[in-house]
Amino acid sequence: SICPEQENVLQRVLQLPVVSSTCETLQRKYSSTKESHPLMASVCEVYERGVQGAGALAMWGMEPVVRRLEPQCESFAVANNLACRGLDHLEEKIPALQYPVDK
């Protein structure tokens, strides 16, 4: 992370019960579909290997960019802080964000 001491708005969003429960539900459905349909499982495995390879390539390509952006940490901290405050406001105005999808 560019600014490890800074609270990360993306991590906060992913920790919202409505978001995390949606991700868990999708993961369960994906896994059960893979287990139930052998043909689908082979397609999914090819896709997963492709995504892993693309992710590794993207991280390798981003490393120089991240190094160049590190001096801009203060700008990122300001933007992240604004986003966190916006998220605070959303959480206050939309209490449903604190509940799992099924509720």
Side-chain angles (χ1 to χ4, degrees):
S1 142
I2 295 173
C3 306
E5 71 284 348
Q6 182 72 27
E7 179 181 33
N8 186 317
V9 71
L10 181 58
Q11 289 172 336
R12 278 190 57 193
V13 168
L14 291 174
Q15 290 171 357
L16 287 171
V18 70
V19 175
S20 62
S21 70
T22 299
C23 291
E24 288 169 9
T25 300
L26 290 173
Q27 179 61 41
R28 280 195 304 273
K29 288 184 190 263
Y30 177 80
S31 295
S32 71
T33 300
K34 246 175 84 170
E35 291 170 11
S36 303
H37 306 286
L39 178 58
M40 188 63 137
S42 63
V43 170
C44 289
E45 287 169 11
V46 169
Y47 169 76
E48 289 168 7
R49 281 195 298 273
V51 168
Q52 288 172 347
L57 183 59
M59 288 303 293
W60 176 78
M62 286 298 294
E63 188 178 332
V65 174
V66 169
R67 271 196 236 117
R68 276 187 253 136
L69 290 175
E70 282 178 345
Q72 305 300 322
C73 194
E74 188 173 320
S75 299
F76 284 108
V78 169
N80 189 62
N81 187 34
L82 287 172
C84 284
R85 285 192 294 176
L87 184 57
D88 289 341
H89 182 71
L90 278 176
E91 287 177 311
E92 181 182 315
K93 296 293 181 188
I94 308 172
L97 293 174
Q98 298 302 324
Y99 298 103
V101 171
D102 59 353
K103 293 187 180 182

